[in-house]
Amino acid sequence: MGDVYEDPLAELALRLRTLRAQRGLQLGGLQQRTGLGRTTISQALNGQMVPSETTLVALAKALGTESH
């Protein structure tokens, strides 16, 4: 219990933060690459709310992942 993988939103946020760190991107860099607002990106990275499909696709592209 308490494992991050029990909460899909927490797991998604962790993966996004990990990818951001691996790419060495700050929030400003993600804003430029995605065209998304700082609050939208922050909420997605912190698991504060379920991101929209559009937000996820933009983040996936900006972080160099494949989105299908």
Side-chain angles (χ1 to χ4, degrees):
M1 294 197 173
D3 189 343
V4 69
Y5 299 108
E6 292 178 8
D7 180 356
L9 184 57
E11 180 180 354
L12 173 63
L14 176 62
R15 289 177 188 231
L16 289 172
R17 288 192 310 273
T18 300
L19 285 167
R20 183 179 73 112
Q22 289 172 345
R23 305 301 189 267
L25 289 171
Q26 299 296 321
L27 282 181
L30 275 178
Q31 281 182 276
Q32 289 178 341
R33 289 180 176 212
T34 62
L36 298 171
R38 186 175 202 84
T39 300
T40 299
I41 294 170
S42 179
Q43 288 174 337
L45 294 177
N46 292 318
Q48 294 173 332
M49 64 184 332
V50 177
S52 70
E53 182 179 354
T54 302
T55 297
L56 283 177
V57 169
L59 286 170
K61 287 180 181 178
L63 293 169
T65 64
E66 299 210 12
S67 57
H68 293 85

